[in-house]
Amino acid sequence: DGVRCETGVEHHVLHAAQAWLASPFDETAVLTADGQGEELPRHGGRAVSTATAVAAGTSLRLLSEVLVPSSLGRLYMYAPFFLGFGAEQEGTTMALAGFGSDAFLDRIRDTFRLLPDGRYELLPPDDPHAKPGELALVRAMQAYCPPRARGGSLLPEHKDVARGVQHVTEEILLHVARTLHARSGQRRLAISGGVGLNCVA
């Protein structure tokens, strides 16, 4: 029952199927979240970053999708570079978050919005000259402290940034999951996609 695109089954449908079929559940709610899938004609060339579905029997039914530029995966991929860790170091950012204060979090509460249907938006900067796809949260990071050079001093502000990004990720994922639970009635949840590796969330 997957939604098909020119190259076959869509990225997030495959993530959802993998999560469900690898689980021990005959039926389950499914949440997928990563940087992005492929650009889809059905979304005017935009890509999906987060999706929810219900799987049962031989059917996988999509319930909701979040489109790029709202992408927890993209946000969490940017953070390790900003913090001087480099590629594939999202786990280091997650660990560093435990040492930060809420000082940065207090500055970024208005950079995202939780929508009533379980979706979310990472908002653009309040600037008419902002580039397409630019995120207010990324700009807030840049304004809060300088990016850390690889091997450079780790400032308390860098720890605060890690904590803020982790907190936003947790708050959004829990919002999506709670709404999925309410909509599907399922007590089981299968998770897939790169953001699904965020074990703290």
Side-chain angles (χ1 to χ4, degrees):
D1 289 357
V3 179
R4 296 195 166 270
C5 65
E6 292 176 18
T7 57
V9 180
E10 292 179 10
H11 181 92
H12 277 269
V13 172
L14 286 174
H15 268 319
Q18 175 271 321
W20 166 41
L21 296 172
S23 78
F25 311 137
D26 292 330
E27 58 182 67
T28 184
V30 184
L31 190 162
T32 71
D34 64 10
Q36 72 175 70
E38 71 276 36
E39 296 173 348
L40 297 170
R42 69 184 178 90
H43 286 308
R46 292 175 69 191
V48 175
S49 69
T50 305
T52 63
V54 176
T58 60
S59 174
L60 179 70
R61 181 170 52 95
L62 285 173
L63 295 180
S64 69
E65 296 173 305
V66 175
L67 304 180
V68 171
S70 291
S71 170
L72 287 176
R74 279 186 169 187
L75 172 65
Y76 222 103
M77 283 189 291
Y78 175 79
F81 286 99
F82 183 83
L83 296 170
F85 302 132
E88 308 284 324
Q89 294 299 308
E90 289 84 358
T92 306
T93 303
M94 195 184 336
L96 184 64
F99 297 95
S101 76
D102 286 340
F104 180 62
L105 180 59
D106 292 340
R107 295 182 182 209
I108 60 170
R109 292 206 180 273
D110 61 350
T111 63
F112 67 98
R113 181 176 21 218
L114 303 178
L115 303 176
D117 61 0
R119 294 179 307 116
Y120 64 91
E121 287 182 311
L122 298 179
L123 300 173
D126 187 15
D127 177 357
H129 304 295
K131 297 174 188 170
E134 191 174 359
L135 297 177
L137 202 150
V138 168
R139 193 176 280 192
M141 292 165 69
Q142 296 163 345
Y144 185 71
C145 65
R148 176 178 169 258
R150 194 170 184 89
S153 297
L154 195 58
L155 303 175
E157 290 82 5
H158 294 130
K159 299 172 188 176
D160 295 347
V161 165
R163 180 172 174 82
V165 171
Q166 177 64 28
H167 184 88
V168 166
T169 301
E170 292 175 24
E171 188 169 342
I172 289 173
L173 281 179
L174 286 171
H175 168 71
V176 175
R178 285 181 180 125
T179 308
L180 174 57
H181 170 69
R183 288 183 70 185
S184 69
Q186 290 290 330
R187 298 189 54 169
R188 299 180 177 107
L189 176 64
I191 301 174
S192 186
V195 180
L197 296 173
N198 193 302
C199 59
V200 176

